[in-house]
Amino acid sequence: MRISKSTAPILDVLLRFPVKASMKLWIIFSALLSLAACTTVPRDAGSAADIERRASARLELAKAYFAEGNHAIALEEANRVLDVDPARVDALGLRALALMRLGEPEAARQSMTQALRLAPDDPALHNNMGWLLCETGQPEQALIFFDRALAHKRYAAPANAAMNAGLCSLRLNKFERAEQYFKRALQADAGLLAARSQLARLAAQRGDYRQARLHFTILLPSGQASSQDYALAVDTERRLGDRDAERSIAAQWKRMFPESPQLQAYLSNDINER
């Protein structure tokens, strides 16, 4: 089974910004300027606290850059935090992810390993290490880290690790295991449509089209379905013999993705079959 290109691993480093990332960047940058203007050379505990505040603000800046896709600048900002505090775990973790995005997997792994040495019980780091390993061709090893993340009862985002573990299992052609992970992801976050999409694909792959249909009845109205989802939903209804449902979904598909090559191929075949 091919993993949809629109399905990306879920990382545990970014804040869910209440404002647009660009606005967030300006707010944090302004805060940094304010801190710099009122801080003298550090010589006491109070100055150490100022350094900590500036480092935290700079790390938020790095996260905002990462969220906007400016990975090189995010890396620079994370490194500046680490220049002040080399043992800052969250900066090490973000540095690892930025390095991975920049095509430096070995340096990324070293940074993440260092973070895990400092915080061995951090489930978010285990999830991110799993992603690094899965992306570098070590899916079996990656699943160990995802399972460690999921084993933490206080993990705030278990759906993230479960979803990633499912995607990694697909790379190993372990479809039953992948399905269990995706179901776990949905149990943790019923609104995680990427997991529902994968469950629909797995159901269709084993010939359980009625189960696939159940997932599509939730996925398609969300407005977040991909062209591939529509293609499979149309095929599902055709296999179930419901031509009215098939045509209805095809019409939605045409509205949502009028330029889709998959859609054009379907329409061409449909005309030829009439």
Side-chain angles (χ1 to χ4, degrees), residues 173-181 202:
N173 293 325
K174 295 185 175 182
F175 303 123
E176 291 184 7
R177 188 171 182 179
E179 185 170 14
Q180 293 307 310
Y181 280 125
L202 288 168

Side-chain angles (χ1 to χ4, degrees), residues 30-255:
S30 298
L32 277 170
L33 290 176
S34 298
L35 283 169
C38 65
T39 303
T40 57
V41 178
R43 292 181 181 176
D44 52 28
S47 296
D50 289 335
I51 291 175
E52 171 65 21
R53 283 195 294 272
R54 286 202 305 276
S56 295
R58 193 164 293 284
L59 184 60
E60 293 305 304
L61 189 64
K63 290 178 180 180
Y65 276 121
F66 190 96
E68 284 202 329
N70 294 321
H71 303 127
I73 301 177
L75 177 60
E76 290 178 9
E77 295 297 335
N79 283 336
R80 292 177 72 175
V81 175
L82 292 168
D83 286 340
V84 176
D85 183 0
R88 178 111 187 197
V89 171
D90 45 4
L92 284 166
L94 181 60
R95 179 179 184 272
L97 295 174
L99 284 166
M100 188 65 187
R101 295 293 194 194
L102 293 169
E104 300 184 44
E106 186 54 38
R109 184 170 178 174
Q110 290 175 3
S111 186
M112 192 66 76
T113 299
Q114 186 178 354
L116 279 168
R117 277 199 297 264
L118 294 168
D121 295 324
D122 188 327
L125 290 177
H126 284 293
N127 174 48
N128 291 342
M129 175 60 98
W131 173 71
L132 290 177
L133 291 170
C134 196
E135 289 291 294
T136 53
Q138 302 174 74
E140 285 281 9
Q141 187 69 14
L143 290 177
I144 294 173
F145 283 90
F146 292 135
D147 285 338
R148 288 176 182 171
L150 289 167
H152 285 265
K153 294 182 179 179
R154 296 183 180 178
Y155 185 20
N160 293 2
M163 183 69 198
N164 290 342
L167 294 173
C168 215
S169 296
L170 291 181
R171 298 188 181 191
L172 292 165
N173 293 325
K174 295 185 175 182
F175 303 123
E176 291 184 7
R177 188 171 182 179
E179 185 170 14
Q180 293 307 310
Y181 280 125
F182 293 136
K183 286 180 177 179
R184 186 167 181 179
L186 270 186
Q187 288 172 356
D189 181 359
L192 188 56
L193 295 174
R196 194 169 293 282
S197 173
Q198 293 297 334
L199 285 170
R201 293 170 190 279
L202 288 168
Q205 178 177 279
R206 66 172 181 271
D208 190 349
Y209 294 104
R210 293 191 180 281
Q211 184 62 39
R213 172 193 270 170
L214 290 176
H215 291 298
F216 285 128
T217 57
I218 297 173
L219 178 62
L220 298 186
S222 71
Q224 298 181 41
S226 67
S227 181
Q228 291 178 338
D229 290 324
Y230 277 100
L232 186 54
V234 163
D235 183 65
T236 294
E237 295 301 339
R238 172 168 289 189
R239 290 176 183 274
L240 288 171
D242 192 334
R243 291 290 287 177
D244 288 338
E246 178 189 345
R247 292 191 182 96
S248 175
I249 294 172
Q252 296 173 40
W253 188 12
K254 189 174 182 179
R255 287 196 300 271

